[in-house]
Amino acid sequence: MVMNKNTEIERKFLVISDTFKESAEASYEILQGYLCKEAGKTIRVRIRDTRAFLTIKSSLLRKGLAKFEWEREIDVADAKELMQICLPGVISKTRYIIPTSPFMGAERKWEVDVFHGRLEGRVLAEIELGDEQEPFERPDWLGEEVTGQPQYYNANM
């Protein structure tokens, strides 16, 4: 599959231990809310430390695991204002970035989200791939794969 512009292919997993923190190269706080959540599409506003983003995602324009993703950086003050009109259920989490060893010629990074507040105790890992069939190394802190399970989409939490 040829990667189209604005395409995201990711796999998602439960995390079974916090040993991933030993390999983290960075972490940051995220606050995110949804302006729109409909079947096959979402519009999200996210504040990540001192930066903010508006993101549109859709499974309607791509096949398989691939999703359309359009993201642009926006002013933090605008993002804070947009948060006030988000749907109920704003998410707070800490994201850890864990580099992978080059595997089969590709260097990737794991993003591990540790959720706070009403989602306390939930820990999910994602890896973004260049192709649906791309192999990747599975660290020992990785648990069951939950890719494609709607209850693990941030928009549904």
Side-chain angles (χ1 to χ4, degrees), residues 17 26-27 32 44 47 50 65 73 87 98 111 118 124 130 152 155:
S17 88
S27 68
Q32 72 184 37
R44 175 186 76 202
I47 299 172
T50 59
L65 296 178
E73 190 162 357
L87 298 167
I98 296 94
E111 295 179 341
R118 64 187 171 74
L124 296 172
Y152 293 104

Tab-separated table of all heavy atoms in Angstrom, residues 17 26-27 32 44 47 50 65 73 87 98 111 118 124 130 152 155:
chain	number	residue	atom	x	y	z
A	17	SER	N	2.940	-3.324	31.986
A	17	SER	CA	3.840	-2.900	33.071
A	17	SER	C	4.334	-1.489	32.771
A	17	SER	O	4.240	-1.020	31.636
A	17	SER	CB	5.012	-3.868	33.234
A	17	SER	OG	6.094	-3.523	32.408
A	26	ALA	N	11.168	11.140	26.143
A	26	ALA	CA	10.441	12.379	26.418
A	26	ALA	C	9.065	12.033	26.973
A	26	ALA	O	8.591	10.899	26.823
A	26	ALA	CB	10.288	13.199	25.136
A	27	SER	N	8.446	13.016	27.601
A	27	SER	CA	7.049	12.876	28.021
A	27	SER	C	6.438	14.269	28.051
A	27	SER	O	7.148	15.262	28.194
A	27	SER	CB	6.935	12.210	29.394
A	27	SER	OG	7.429	13.054	30.403
A	32	GLN	N	-7.171	16.902	25.777
A	32	GLN	CA	-7.825	16.883	24.468
A	32	GLN	C	-9.323	16.704	24.611
A	32	GLN	O	-9.804	16.018	25.499
A	32	GLN	CB	-7.234	15.826	23.552
A	32	GLN	CG	-7.560	14.404	23.891
A	32	GLN	CD	-6.836	13.418	22.982
A	32	GLN	OE1	-5.693	13.635	22.596
A	32	GLN	NE2	-7.490	12.333	22.643
A	44	ARG	N	-10.919	17.008	16.669
A	44	ARG	CA	-10.329	17.063	18.004
A	44	ARG	C	-9.497	18.325	18.180
A	44	ARG	O	-8.822	18.773	17.258
A	44	ARG	CB	-9.428	15.837	18.169
A	44	ARG	CG	-8.643	15.796	19.464
A	44	ARG	CD	-7.679	14.631	19.476
A	44	ARG	NE	-6.519	14.915	18.643
A	44	ARG	CZ	-5.729	13.981	18.117
A	44	ARG	NH1	-5.982	12.697	18.296
A	44	ARG	NH2	-4.691	14.318	17.389
A	47	ILE	N	-4.238	20.223	23.474
A	47	ILE	CA	-3.185	21.082	24.013
A	47	ILE	C	-2.119	20.150	24.565
A	47	ILE	O	-2.395	19.300	25.416
A	47	ILE	CB	-3.719	22.016	25.122
A	47	ILE	CG1	-4.813	22.923	24.555
A	47	ILE	CG2	-2.569	22.839	25.709
A	47	ILE	CD1	-5.551	23.747	25.597
A	50	THR	N	2.942	23.350	25.707
A	50	THR	CA	2.767	24.750	25.299
A	50	THR	C	2.341	24.896	23.841
A	50	THR	O	2.401	25.999	23.290
A	50	THR	CB	4.084	25.532	25.505
A	50	THR	OG1	5.104	24.905	24.712
A	50	THR	CG2	4.485	25.538	26.963
A	65	LEU	N	-6.509	-0.487	7.973
A	65	LEU	CA	-6.097	0.215	9.185
A	65	LEU	C	-5.816	1.692	8.933
A	65	LEU	O	-5.722	2.472	9.874
A	65	LEU	CB	-4.831	-0.424	9.770
A	65	LEU	CG	-4.935	-1.856	10.270
A	65	LEU	CD1	-3.575	-2.338	10.766
A	65	LEU	CD2	-5.974	-1.966	11.370
A	73	GLU	N	-1.275	23.051	13.582
A	73	GLU	CA	-1.013	23.730	14.856
A	73	GLU	C	-1.861	24.999	14.914
A	73	GLU	O	-2.023	25.694	13.894
A	73	GLU	CB	0.474	24.063	14.990
A	73	GLU	CG	0.837	24.545	16.371
A	73	GLU	CD	2.334	24.471	16.671
A	73	GLU	OE1	3.108	23.990	15.823
A	73	GLU	OE2	2.693	24.894	17.779
A	87	LEU	N	-17.350	18.486	23.431
A	87	LEU	CA	-18.317	17.542	23.974
A	87	LEU	C	-17.859	17.104	25.361
A	87	LEU	O	-16.659	17.169	25.670
A	87	LEU	CB	-18.430	16.333	23.044
A	87	LEU	CG	-18.926	16.649	21.628
A	87	LEU	CD1	-18.708	15.463	20.703
A	87	LEU	CD2	-20.389	17.047	21.653
A	98	ILE	N	8.822	6.469	23.342
A	98	ILE	CA	9.824	5.432	23.502
A	98	ILE	C	10.356	5.049	22.126
A	98	ILE	O	9.604	4.553	21.282
A	98	ILE	CB	9.242	4.183	24.207
A	98	ILE	CG1	8.806	4.523	25.641
A	98	ILE	CG2	10.264	3.066	24.263
A	98	ILE	CD1	7.391	4.876	25.787
A	111	GLU	N	4.280	5.465	21.351
A	111	GLU	CA	3.656	6.514	22.153
A	111	GLU	C	2.802	5.796	23.187
A	111	GLU	O	1.878	5.053	22.835
A	111	GLU	CB	2.775	7.421	21.289
A	111	GLU	CG	3.563	8.205	20.268
A	111	GLU	CD	2.682	9.087	19.393
A	111	GLU	OE1	1.454	8.855	19.318
A	111	GLU	OE2	3.227	10.013	18.784
A	118	ARG	N	-10.972	10.472	35.287
A	118	ARG	CA	-11.970	9.401	35.193
A	118	ARG	C	-11.452	8.159	34.486
A	118	ARG	O	-12.033	7.083	34.603
A	118	ARG	CB	-13.242	9.914	34.510
A	118	ARG	CG	-13.045	10.326	33.086
A	118	ARG	CD	-14.291	10.982	32.481
A	118	ARG	NE	-13.993	11.551	31.195
A	118	ARG	CZ	-13.802	10.852	30.086
A	118	ARG	NH1	-13.922	9.549	30.097
A	118	ARG	NH2	-13.512	11.458	28.949
A	124	LEU	N	-2.333	2.825	27.346
A	124	LEU	CA	-2.355	2.311	25.977
A	124	LEU	C	-1.088	2.716	25.239
A	124	LEU	O	-0.576	3.820	25.447
A	124	LEU	CB	-3.568	2.855	25.222
A	124	LEU	CG	-4.940	2.445	25.728
A	124	LEU	CD1	-6.029	3.225	25.010
A	124	LEU	CD2	-5.141	0.956	25.535
A	130	GLY	N	4.429	2.685	8.466
A	130	GLY	CA	4.400	3.170	7.097
A	130	GLY	C	3.515	2.323	6.198
A	130	GLY	O	3.134	2.741	5.109
A	152	TYR	N	-11.430	1.456	22.713
A	152	TYR	CA	-10.090	1.972	22.993
A	152	TYR	C	-9.751	3.203	22.151
A	152	TYR	O	-8.633	3.702	22.218
A	152	TYR	CB	-9.046	0.872	22.792
A	152	TYR	CG	-9.204	-0.221	23.820
A	152	TYR	CD1	-9.773	-1.439	23.474
A	152	TYR	CD2	-8.828	-0.016	25.140
A	152	TYR	CE1	-9.934	-2.441	24.415
A	152	TYR	CE2	-8.996	-1.015	26.089
A	152	TYR	CZ	-9.547	-2.215	25.721
A	152	TYR	OH	-9.731	-3.205	26.665
A	155	ALA	N	-11.714	8.961	21.261
A	155	ALA	CA	-12.990	9.653	21.051
A	155	ALA	C	-14.140	8.953	21.763
A	155	ALA	O	-15.166	9.579	22.045
A	155	ALA	CB	-13.294	9.757	19.561
